[in-house]
Amino acid sequence: MRVLNCFNFHDFRRLAKRRLPRPIFDYIDGAADDETTYRRNTSSFETCDLVPNVLRGVRDIDMSVTVMGQKLAMPVYCSPTALQRLFHHQGERAVAAAAARYGTMFGVSSLGTVSLEEARQISSGPQVYQFYFHKDRGLNREMMARAKAAGVEVMMLTVDSITGGNRERDKRTGFAIPFHLTLAGMAQFAMKPAWAFDYITHESFKLPQLDNHVDMGGGALSISRYFTEMLDPALAWNDVAEMVQAWNGQFCLKGVMSVEDAKRAVEIGCTGIVLSNHGGRQLDGSRAAFDQLAEIVDAVGDQIDVIMDGGVQRGTHVLKALALGAKAVGVGRYYLFPLAAAGQAGVERALELMKIEIERDMRLMGCTSIDQLSRNNLRFR
């Protein structure tokens, strides 16, 4: 299978599975505990039906949106995700370039493998910095100042990861950064020599946002240990309020799921919230973002930009979220599997397919612009 023969999320996933060593594939594909929330994230869309209108004159389609002051050519953006150069040597470079080509927003993670500054040079489009709140307050201040200097438009603080989720697939393989694998995990790497050649023949793996604070040569820093040892479980609303004030710009909380928290985000001056359960990778059994979306929009949608991510695999999923009141939709695995399969060409192929699907589905819905979608176009089973 080649990337041009991929036509949906599942095709890309199968192609990535062929290329990646099992520990790395499982890191992308896996989730917490029994992975119940991971499955529900996508299945939640199946409880909602679209109700199209016809004879609306849909020759010209405008799928652009404005979210947190950023104009996007399509209502889907590439959510910040960690460790991308493990999946393909191009990593965030590929995602930044693909997002620029399709006029949408992308994000760089605190655990990103390309620097904020380099990503900014690749794309002049809207850039998000996904921030984890560390115990070292000096590190927090330094990272925020660095993001501001790099020209990042949106600060996105992840608030659902003060400790790592129970990702049992990673425990079985011994997945860690640097690699600290079990015998079974090492055997899986040996079975994928093409990936190993690609990894060895390109620049060494780094975490540029944390280079001055994490000794990558001094032993294995597992993902679980990073969350458990470096992040601050004492993070509270007053800390975030100080960050919002210090940033003095577009500030988003990622991982908000309750109405109470959404209202607090408004009170402290946030300009956006992302309804998210971290792709099912943190608290298993938590509610799917799509199922919670209407409740949050009804409570604060007229005061703050409400975004959602989790389980989005189709253009119809995006339209359902927008019809409920989301301003935009984030994707993660949707572009990570294409990245792993084919680098920038894979990410571009995935975004092109999503763009085509949304445009086609808008015509079939009888809508020429996103603001024409409403709850009148939805029915729940």
Side-chain angles (χ1 to χ4, degrees):
M1 178 184 287
R2 297 185 306 148
V3 70
L4 290 178
N5 299 124
C6 293
F7 296 99
N8 58 45
F9 170 84
H10 302 287
D11 289 344
F12 287 116
R13 182 180 179 276
R14 282 191 291 269
L15 191 55
K17 190 173 184 178
R18 293 182 187 180
R19 179 180 179 273
L20 293 175
R22 187 60 183 262
I24 296 180
F25 175 81
D26 278 348
Y27 173 74
I28 301 174
D29 193 55
D33 292 353
D34 298 314
E35 303 189 351
T36 302
T37 295
Y38 176 21
R39 294 188 296 273
R40 285 178 179 167
N41 279 347
T42 297
S43 65
S44 63
F45 292 101
E46 297 174 5
T47 66
C48 178
D49 296 330
L50 290 166
V51 180
N53 294 312
V54 296
L55 303 176
R56 293 299 197 269
V58 290
R59 182 180 59 187
D60 299 319
I61 300 294
D62 177 10
M63 67 177 73
S64 66
V65 295
T66 299
V67 57
M68 292 182 292
Q70 314 307 308
K71 181 69 175 291
L72 312 185
M74 58 191 295
V76 176
Y77 69 94
C78 296
S79 294
T81 57
L83 311 181
Q84 291 181 20
R85 285 189 54 241
L86 274 187
F87 318 143
H88 189 280
H89 71 268
Q90 293 176 337
E92 289 88 348
R93 296 170 184 135
V95 179
R101 179 176 178 183
Y102 286 90
T104 194
M105 188 164 66
F106 74 102
V108 176
S109 169
S110 293
L111 289 168
T113 53
V114 169
S115 72
L116 290 167
E117 294 82 1
E118 183 179 354
R120 178 75 291 168
Q121 292 173 1
I122 294 170
S123 172
S124 60
Q127 181 174 334
V128 167
Y129 180 40
Q130 180 267 324
F131 188 86
Y132 288 120
F133 195 86
H134 300 84
K135 293 176 182 176
D136 183 344
R137 302 302 171 95
L139 171 58
N140 293 332
R141 289 190 293 271
E142 178 183 320
M143 294 175 83
M144 286 183 65
R146 180 176 176 178
K148 183 71 76 171
V152 170
E153 287 88 357
V154 181
M155 179 61 67
M156 182 179 283
L157 176 66
T158 296
V159 292
D160 61 359
S161 302
I162 56 172
T163 190
N166 180 37
R167 303 174 192 177
E168 293 175 357
R169 294 205 218 180
D170 294 347
K171 291 180 177 180
R172 291 190 183 96
T173 62
F175 181 86
I177 302 299
F179 296 130
H180 188 67
L181 300 168
T182 63
L183 288 175
M186 286 187 282
Q188 292 293 327
F189 273 76
M191 294 169 63
K192 303 291 183 179
W195 178 92
F197 179 81
D198 182 67
Y199 182 79
I200 293 170
T201 56
H202 289 88
E203 65 193 277
S204 60
F205 181 87
K206 295 189 299 182
L207 298 174
Q209 277 63 253
L210 295 172
D211 268 352
N212 296 329
H213 305 276
V214 177
D215 182 7
M216 294 295 291
L221 174 68
S222 72
I223 300 304
S224 176
R225 279 184 55 212
Y226 170 79
F227 285 115
T228 302
E229 297 179 13
M230 290 195 67
L231 304 191
D232 190 353
L235 174 65
W237 284 102
N238 59 317
D239 298 308
V240 180
E242 291 178 5
M243 287 185 66
V244 172
Q245 186 174 23
W247 179 253
N248 191 30
Q250 299 289 339
F251 197 105
C252 181
L253 295 187
K254 182 177 182 291
V256 170
M257 288 293 287
S258 73
V259 168
E260 179 182 1
D261 287 346
K263 290 179 177 178
R264 290 292 298 274
V266 172
E267 290 172 3
I268 65 172
C270 293
T271 56
I273 53 174
V274 182
L275 275 62
S276 174
N277 53 43
H278 217 95
R281 296 162 71 81
Q282 288 296 98
L283 178 64
D284 196 31
S286 61
R287 190 162 168 81
F290 181 70
D291 287 337
Q292 191 70 351
L293 180 57
E295 187 175 332
I296 300 292
V297 169
D298 289 345
V300 299
D302 60 342
Q303 304 170 71
I304 195 170
D305 284 353
V306 178
I307 312 164
M308 68 143 284
D309 67 28
V312 174
Q313 298 176 4
R314 287 289 189 183
T316 51
H317 296 166
V318 175
L319 296 189
K320 289 175 182 180
L322 297 172
L324 274 183
K327 292 293 181 68
V329 173
V331 292
R333 292 181 180 96
Y334 180 84
Y335 76 82
L336 287 180
F337 286 132
L339 171 66
Q344 182 177 336
V347 181
E348 289 184 356
R349 172 71 172 168
L351 291 178
E352 174 69 12
L353 288 171
M354 180 62 78
K355 178 183 176 182
I356 291 171
E357 285 192 18
I358 293 174
E359 184 172 356
R360 178 195 301 118
D361 295 339
M362 287 180 66
R363 283 198 170 95
L364 292 172
M365 288 294 295
C367 297
T368 58
S369 62
I370 297 299
D371 60 10
Q372 292 175 5
L373 289 165
S374 74
R375 296 186 191 180
N376 291 330
N377 296 118
L378 303 177
R379 294 294 185 275
F380 285 84
R381 293 179 182 273

